[in-house]
């Protein structure tokens, strides 16, 4: 019994050291505690899904390499979204077409809530607290939805597209107005004053 307890304690210590080292590495990459926690957890899940071994028995470098790859992939996706959002006005039709394509991709990989929160945060540049105010979610829920949405941005689009969601995303991006997306969320009733007024209230 003593030997088993000692072994269990050693494994727990090894795992704690592994996670602490990974978290510090992720913090260097993201420069943000919340994002570092998200990245570390995602890296751990990805490693365990791939190798299916006890965490403490895997080399530390494997976790770091996985986190680095996930971080790079995420910002490549983010750059794609920013570039689509900031298409020059040389062709309004071309811009609307590209936004529609982006909207369909987002609508194929995210739920209504994830897409609404993601677009508000990443495209319309609302703060988490402002998103919570206009959606009726808690800040913690907003962060959780953002985390899931960002994970989905690493996926390829599917043939199953929620056209109502895609249309709302397109309208919100083209009009730079969150209201089309907000109206899809059943937790938020329609208001004649609009979300901007609610946010300021």
């Amino acid at each position: 019994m003593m030997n088993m307890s000692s072994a269990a304690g050693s494994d727990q210590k090894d795992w704690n050291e592994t996670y602490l080292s990974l978290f510090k590495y992720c913090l260097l990459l993201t420069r943000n505690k919340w994002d570092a926690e998200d990245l570390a957890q995602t890296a751990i899940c990805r490693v365990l899904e791939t190798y299916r071994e006890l965490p403490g028995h895997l080399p530390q470098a494997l976790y770091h390499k996985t986190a680095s790859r996930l971080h790079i992939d995420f910002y490549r996706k983010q750059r794609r979204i920013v570039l689509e959002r900031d298409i020059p006005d040389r062709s309004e039709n071309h811009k609307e077409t590209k936004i529609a394509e982006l909207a369909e991709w987002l609508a194929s990989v995210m739920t209504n809530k994830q897409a609404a929160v993601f677009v508000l945060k990443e495209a319309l540049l609302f703060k988490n607290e402002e998103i919570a105010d206009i959606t009726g979610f808690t800040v913690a829920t907003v962060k959780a939805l953002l985390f899931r949405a960002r994970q989905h941005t690493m996926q390829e689009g599917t043939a199953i597209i929620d056209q109502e969601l895609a249309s709302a995303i397109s309208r919100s991006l083209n009009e730079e107005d969150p209201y089309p997306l907000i109206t899809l969320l059943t937790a938020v009733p329609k208001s004649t004053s609009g979300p901007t007024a609610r946010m300021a209230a």
Side-chain angles (χ1 to χ4, degrees), residues 23 27 30-41 128 139-147 150:
F23 173 75
L27 192 58
T30 64
R31 301 181 183 277
N32 177 282
K33 181 177 181 292
W34 176 265
D35 289 340
E37 290 175 351
D38 288 348
L39 181 58
Q41 291 169 9
N128 290 346
V139 173
T141 298
V142 169
K143 290 179 178 179
L145 288 168
L146 277 173
F147 172 61
R150 285 166 175 164

Side-chain angles (χ1 to χ4, degrees), residues 96-144:
E96 290 182 0
T97 298
K98 298 302 289 184
I99 286 178
E101 291 174 356
L102 173 64
E104 288 191 347
W105 170 62
L106 292 175
S108 73
V109 298
M110 296 184 189
T111 65
N112 287 6
K113 291 180 180 180
Q114 291 166 4
V117 170
F118 183 79
V119 171
L120 288 175
K121 177 73 173 182
E122 304 296 348
L124 302 184
L125 306 180
F126 282 83
K127 296 179 180 179
N128 290 346
E129 292 77 10
E130 293 172 333
I131 296 172
D133 190 29
I134 65 176
T135 60
F137 300 143
T138 64
V139 173
T141 298
V142 169
K143 290 179 178 179

Side-chain angles (χ1 to χ4, degrees), residues 136-181:
F137 300 143
T138 64
V139 173
T141 298
V142 169
K143 290 179 178 179
L145 288 168
L146 277 173
F147 172 61
R148 297 190 193 102
R150 285 166 175 164
Q151 285 185 310
H152 292 321
T153 63
M154 299 178 187
Q155 301 175 5
E156 296 297 328
T158 68
I160 303 174
I161 299 172
D162 184 333
Q163 292 297 339
E164 184 180 13
L165 175 57
S167 176
I169 293 172
S170 291
R171 286 181 56 202
S172 284
L173 291 176
N174 281 312
E175 299 168 12
E176 297 186 1
D177 182 1
Y179 194 60
L181 277 169

Side-chain angles (χ1 to χ4, degrees), residues 62-115:
L62 182 60
Y63 290 98
H64 288 193
K65 184 176 181 180
T66 301
S68 178
R69 187 180 299 118
L70 288 170
H71 184 67
I72 291 171
D73 288 347
F74 169 71
Y75 278 99
R76 281 176 178 167
K77 292 287 187 179
Q78 291 299 99
R79 178 173 174 78
R80 170 184 171 185
I81 291 170
V82 170
L83 288 174
E84 297 287 6
R85 188 190 71 206
D86 295 334
I87 298 169
D89 292 333
R90 65 182 183 276
S91 171
E92 194 64 28
N93 289 336
H94 177 69
K95 177 180 178 180
E96 290 182 0
T97 298
K98 298 302 289 184
I99 286 178
E101 291 174 356
L102 173 64
E104 288 191 347
W105 170 62
L106 292 175
S108 73
V109 298
M110 296 184 189
T111 65
N112 287 6
K113 291 180 180 180
Q114 291 166 4

